[in-house]
Amino acid sequence: MEKIFRKSLTTFGEKSLNVSERIFKVSINTHGCLCMQRLYGLNESQGRALQHKGSHLLITAGPGTGKTHTLVYRIAELIPSLKSDDKILAITFTNKAARQMKERLLSLGVDMSFLFVGTFHAFCLKLLRDYFEHTALPQNFEVVDPQKIEGFSQETLERISYMKSTQLAIIPDNEFRAYQRYLHENRWIDFDDILKEALLLLEDEDVLNEVSLKYRHILVDEYQDINIVQNALLKKLLYQGALLAAIGDANQSIYGFRGSRVEFFSRFEKDFPGALTMALEENYRSASNLVAAAGQMMGGIQLLARMEAQGKLIVHHAATDRAEADYVARKIEKLVGGLDMRTSHKARYGFGEVAVLYRLNAQGLLIGQMLDHLGVPYQLAHQKKRAELYCDEDALNQNEEEFEFDVQKVSLMSLHAAKGLEFPVVFIVGCEDHLLPLDFLKMKADPKEERRLFYVGMTRAKEELYLTHVRTRYLFGQALLQEPSPFLADIKEELKAYEAVKKSVPKAKPDDRQMKLF
């Protein structure tokens, strides 16, 4: 076991030496969990999750409970138990999360040759490249750039994608057949085909034996977001007795429209017999009243808040969406200390510590205009960069936001884009029925998933949370009379403060008697 860490020492230098030695010593220490808690800075529940061995494990981890911290140290703890040819497979749901996990593991001096860290799609694409001769794919196949697909409507492409994500056995219609024929003629597979083709590849018993024997421990982050194909892939990969440790939060499952199925979380012990479930329940991110409010909105979820400071939860009602945008922009201007001599005062936050979240991207346009008017720098998180060349790496990034955060700018983004992020100050605009939950024109979302989405938004805030709603909103050329979101009513009144716009009062004119004195 020690050789595994010794190998990494030559790669990462003297700084890693101490960390690696300490990890190794702790892993064989008979005092177990208590010693590791002191070394890693883990709480008791994190320590138990780290130490568990001998069966599959599901870790339920609410927002701000140290999910990534626990997962990274569990990986570091498992490495000394590996045999020389064994590997660990660590699955994340975004490439950004994979990069962050790799960086944290490298900082511990972990030998990355014992690991594959990446998304389901990255791992499956690697399998298809490594075992190409066992597939029925065209030679030199490429993952298609979505912008190259012609002759199919966006609605058709979305429908086919949903079919591939939610069905193991597809009964193809004419459009589906035409689409697949079009891909094959161009030697292409699409993003969803990566997973489907990998599942077909693992039907080959020789390939299945080799792959499932190689990866002895499989760890999956954000388990609440898996779909039916990913669930089937995991069952295949456990064929030779590997152990699965999954971590996530069913209350943050927000990708049902992409095919994810939150019920896999509740049936984990049925899917993987003998599994144990543990919970991380201490929140280190948000002020206690914000944690309590978010829990109330979700029907009484109770996380133990470790931040002693009280935060702000402000509800603001505006007459129109323009008045709402004006309120948000001026409040941000005040929070960052003012932008001119007239309004300048001590800044409480930097621009990059503030985020404005909304259900539909169209809502961000008016907010941006008001920020522009006041000279507040901002960035739109749904803007994407276009790669000039298209390779496997570009293909794997196609469903992610290609966006680098500028700490000198306020962030404007959808509630979905905010998943996994945190900010000292968060505004959620449009807290109205028919927007949250979404039920507008042809856009109708699952009300339960919409509640979880609002929960995700609320739990991005560390210190101050502003929830705004309006009476009249102009959206897609329509004037809508709005009512407050029913989610707001689920938060107890004692946790909410209401803030109205202060109207300027004109100075009283001096009367004649005063004038006679001059």
Side-chain angles (χ1 to χ4, degrees), residues 246-258:
I247 192 166
D249 181 9
N251 296 309
Q252 296 186 72
S253 177
I254 60 173
Y255 293 113
F257 65 95
R258 289 184 184 172

Side-chain angles (χ1 to χ4, degrees), residues 22 33-42:
R22 286 160 68 200
C33 187
L34 179 61
C35 289
M36 281 195 297
Q37 283 174 230
R38 290 172 179 169
L39 173 62
Y40 296 152
L42 303 176

Side-chain angles (χ1 to χ4, degrees), residues 316-433:
H316 174 74
H317 171 72
T320 66
D321 49 355
R322 181 166 291 277
E324 174 189 58
D326 182 70
Y327 167 79
V328 170
R330 293 187 185 282
K331 178 61 68 173
I332 291 173
E333 181 188 38
K334 185 176 180 181
L335 290 169
V336 300
L339 298 172
D340 58 40
M341 294 296 292
R342 212 167 25 83
T343 61
S344 181
H345 57 276
K346 186 175 181 181
R348 290 164 57 195
Y349 299 101
F351 294 113
E353 295 181 298
V354 181
V356 183
L357 313 182
Y358 32 77
R359 183 60 183 88
L360 300 175
N361 284 327
Q363 295 171 254
L365 301 177
L366 194 52
I367 305 290
Q369 289 174 16
M370 290 298 183
L371 292 174
D372 267 336
H373 177 69
L374 294 178
V376 177
Y378 69 92
Q379 53 199 339
L380 287 166
H382 63 272
Q383 291 179 331
K384 292 188 178 183
K385 298 174 184 176
R386 178 71 174 87
E388 291 184 8
L389 300 175
Y390 200 76
C391 58
D392 281 358
E393 185 176 354
D394 296 320
L396 294 171
N397 279 306
Q398 68 180 247
N399 277 16
E400 290 187 33
E401 305 290 350
E402 287 297 314
F403 183 75
E404 294 295 329
F405 282 93
D406 186 337
V407 296
Q408 300 300 321
K409 294 181 179 180
V410 173
S411 295
L412 274 57
M413 68 185 76
S414 70
L415 285 160
H416 283 97
K419 179 76 164 58
L421 304 176
E422 58 184 49
F423 301 87
V425 181
V426 169
F427 292 80
I428 304 180
V429 298
C431 299
E432 299 144 28
D433 204 7

Side-chain angles (χ1 to χ4, degrees), residues 9-255:
L9 304 184
T10 59
T11 306
F12 301 113
E14 192 64 29
K15 184 177 180 181
S16 298
L17 175 64
N18 295 332
V19 177
S20 300
E21 286 183 332
R22 286 160 68 200
I23 293 173
F24 173 70
K25 287 176 182 176
V26 170
S27 69
I28 61 173
N29 193 305
T30 57
H31 295 293
C33 187
L34 179 61
C35 289
M36 281 195 297
Q37 283 174 230
R38 290 172 179 169
L39 173 62
Y40 296 152
L42 303 176
N43 61 39
E44 186 176 347
S45 58
Q46 290 170 335
R48 285 197 302 269
L50 185 68
Q51 274 289 84
H52 176 75
K53 293 179 175 64
S55 74
H56 303 306
L57 175 65
L58 176 66
I59 306 168
T60 62
T65 55
K67 174 172 62 71
T68 305
H69 188 73
T70 303
L71 202 60
V72 164
Y73 280 109
R74 181 170 173 82
I75 292 171
E77 171 66 11
L78 286 171
I79 285 182
S81 67
L82 297 178
K83 297 177 182 177
S84 58
D85 293 331
D86 292 347
K87 288 186 179 294
I88 292 174
L89 173 59
I91 297 291
T92 65
F93 265 80
T94 66
N95 294 290
K96 179 181 177 182
R99 289 192 296 270
Q100 290 173 341
M101 185 177 288
K102 288 175 185 176
E103 288 168 2
R104 294 178 72 165
L105 288 164
L106 285 169
S107 72
L108 293 176
V110 169
D111 186 346
M112 298 301 288
S113 68
F114 287 88
L115 283 165
F116 179 94
V117 180
T119 64
F120 270 107
H121 290 85
F123 176 68
C124 288
L125 187 54
K126 174 178 166 52
L127 289 183
L128 296 178
R129 296 295 187 202
D130 289 348
Y131 296 95
F132 169 76
E133 67 275 12
H134 295 268
T135 74
L137 293 171
Q139 191 171 10
N140 300 320
F141 73 90
E142 296 178 13
V143 182
V144 62
D145 178 346
Q147 297 190 34
K148 288 185 178 180
I149 297 176
E150 298 176 349
F152 298 89
S153 70
Q154 188 62 33
E155 185 178 357
T156 296
L157 295 176
E158 289 176 359
R159 184 178 66 83
I160 290 174
S161 177
Y162 190 77
M163 288 172 65
K164 291 182 179 182
S165 299
T166 57
Q167 300 176 32
L168 290 178
I170 295 173
I171 301 175
D173 57 21
N174 289 337
E175 279 189 319
F176 188 95
R177 289 192 184 93
Y179 174 72
Q180 289 300 113
R181 186 165 56 249
Y182 169 77
L183 294 183
H184 186 78
E185 288 170 354
N186 288 280
R187 300 198 308 277
W188 290 340
I189 64 172
D190 65 19
F191 195 67
D192 301 297
D193 283 335
I194 296 173
L195 302 187
K196 300 286 286 189
E197 291 293 339
L199 191 57
L200 286 173
L201 172 64
L202 293 178
E203 292 294 322
D204 185 308
E205 192 169 339
D206 291 336
V207 175
L208 178 61
N209 276 322
E210 187 172 325
V211 173
S212 59
L213 278 171
K214 180 185 296 184
Y215 297 100
R216 306 312 300 150
H217 292 278
I218 300 172
L219 297 95
V220 181
D221 194 9
E222 305 289 5
Y223 188 74
Q224 75 278 354
D225 292 330
I226 71 166
N227 64 33
I228 192 170
V229 182
Q230 291 159 343
N231 179 262
L233 281 164
L234 288 174
K235 290 177 178 178
K236 284 283 188 185
L237 293 170
L238 300 177
Y239 176 67
Q240 292 286 1
L243 293 177
L244 171 65
I247 192 166
D249 181 9
N251 296 309
Q252 296 186 72
S253 177
I254 60 173
Y255 293 113

